[in-house]
Amino acid sequence: MRTVGIIGLGYVGLPLAVAFAREDCEVVAVDLDARKVEAIARCESYIEDVASEDLRALGERIHASTRYSSLAKADAVLVCVPTPLTKNREPDLSPLLDATRALAGVLQAGQLVVVESTTYPGTTRERLAPLLAESGLTAGRDFNLAFSPERVDPGRTDFVLRNTPKVLGGLTETCAQRARELYELVCETIVMVSTPEAAELTKLLENIFRSVNIALVNELAMITDRMGIDIWEVVDAAATKPYGFMRFEPGPGMGGHCLPVDPFYLSWRAREFDLAAEFIELAGKVNQQMPYHCVAKAQRVLNDVGLAIKGARVLVVGVSYKAGVGDLRESPALKIIELLREQGAEVSYHDPHVASIGHLGLESVALDRALPAADLVLIVTAHPSVDHELIVTQGRRVLDLRGVTRRTQRENVARL
Ligand SMILES: NC(=O)c1ccc[n+]([C@@H]2O[C@H](COP(=O)([O-])OP(=O)(O)OC[C@H]3O[C@@H](n4cnc5c(N)ncnc54)[C@H](O)[C@@H]3O)[C@@H](O)[C@H]2O)c1
């Protein structure tokens, strides 16, 4: 039986643990968060894409711990820790470097190490291999090292780990082949690239592509707002072109752990090569402006009926960063709530996926009870389980930032 080690049991690491356990591997996982380790021991999932029943069915095969020593017996170790930005929007590699240093302390000859955390090209070779060498073992000679970016899209059911092609670049040919054999257990298609750098950059290209295109359509949304043209009608019409156009939706800004963060890993790295990644920076700037634009629009909607934001009761519907999930990370809804509160609005929210927002002191309220009391309902995230028809029929005034009401022509409904 193969033993697979996983460092970081979050959105990426836990689904991987389940996938390998399903293929009869023994999984030894390490996370610094004792609550997660305890939850795994109780077979309780804290990730929406992983069912607790799956953990119960596979419980025998997944062992979680806060200690790295358990990784010594693994054939392969997958690193899935966060790669955030610092306050100054520079890559914060500290979780990745800490995890790598701790792994070096237990690394064994013959092991395979694969990094899945999103990062800039050069990290695996220049930053991680030297740290792992502190074990006395050399990457490519005594142990194998590769980079394979996670492409999971939380909440998605049509493309999951198994049928999403997995990109992989090894430090040496042998490193790549070993990693390929491992991932073939859980992925149907492996896409080999020549180096870890190519694999690292592939992931960044995918996210930058989305960020730039979302920024473009968001910029158009701000222009069409001035011009009095319906952006949703324009996007729907453009998307009928059978070639040469790819649909992206405007919205209140970008959220999640990836799109608002990853592109800046490349722009930071590009500066070392005397290059300014202007598309990336510009896209970030436009997308960061969107919550301000949305709050300004809310102000106009209230103004039209003689109300000010100060003292207005605003019900925000949907606070997670995207539909169908409860992930609040970098969610534009948080910025919107903050801006509304700064201007004196009384903000409440409804979100079937988010019971409370601790740092804002808010708890989700029942939609049917909150609707009649709200001066303005702001649809920030359009969860499929929310009754948007009820919102437009019972809400006094509605501002829809996601276009879910685009087929509705009602006096009380305005859109981004
Ligand atoms: N969430 C996504 O949709 C997604 C998709 C593709 C790629 N990624 C990338 O995958 C990586 C992980 O993202 P995530 O969303 O799973 O993050 P996460 O925050 O959900 O999980 C990371 C886990 O690592 C643990 N951790 C942090 N430092 C540690 C350390 N030194 N040792 C052991 N455990 C440690 C944390 O406690 C946490 O449980 C990031 O680089 C991210 O960019 C995420």
Side-chain angles (χ1 to χ4, degrees), residues 8 10-12 31 36 68 81 83 117-118 150 154 203 257 329:
Y11 284 88
V12 169
D31 200 296
K36 285 186 180 158
Y68 273 72
V81 297
T83 42
S117 300
T118 308
E150 179 52 67
K203 170 71 183 176
H257 183 45
R329 288 179 294 180

Side-chain angles (χ1 to χ4, degrees), residues 80-98 117-120 123 204 256-266 268 329-330:
C80 313
V81 297
T83 42
L85 292 175
T86 64
K87 280 208 165 88
N88 301 329
R89 306 198 75 72
E90 293 188 345
D92 176 5
L93 285 187
S94 46
L96 186 55
L97 299 180
D98 289 350
S117 300
T118 308
T119 185
Y120 60 78
T123 310
L204 293 183
H257 183 45
C258 293
L259 296 194
V261 173
D262 302 346
F264 297 106
Y265 268 66
L266 186 60
W268 177 85
R329 288 179 294 180
E330 309 277 336

